[in-house]
Amino acid sequence: MHQGRQIDVGEGSIEIYTLAKGFVTFAKENIADYGLIKSSLMPEGLEKNLTDSDLKDLLSFLLER
């Protein structure tokens, strides 16, 4: 199973962006199923390990996207 941000769905392929491998393209014929997940890709509890400054930087980065 792969998780990432959907980049493009073409006629014969689907491209996603993963943190581990960057941009990855899969042929539709090799995909059993795909869709949205209900949980965030951000690791659970990450914010507890960030300083206030780090959290502000993260939020600023996400808002720019």
Side-chain angles (χ1 to χ4, degrees), residues 34-53:
Y34 74 96
L36 299 175
I37 58 173
K38 294 182 181 183
S39 60
S40 172
L41 292 176
M42 187 175 295
E44 187 71 33
L46 176 70
E47 75 284 354
K48 295 176 184 171
N49 297 320
L50 298 176
T51 65
D52 286 346
S53 178

Side-chain angles (χ1 to χ4, degrees), residues 11-52:
E11 285 186 36
S13 65
I14 295 175
E15 182 179 26
I16 64 172
Y17 179 81
T18 69
L19 292 176
K21 295 183 179 181
F23 293 97
V24 183
T25 301
F26 300 94
K28 281 188 176 179
E29 64 192 30
N30 296 329
I31 298 173
D33 189 23
Y34 74 96
L36 299 175
I37 58 173
K38 294 182 181 183
S39 60
S40 172
L41 292 176
M42 187 175 295
E44 187 71 33
L46 176 70
E47 75 284 354
K48 295 176 184 171
N49 297 320
L50 298 176
T51 65
D52 286 346

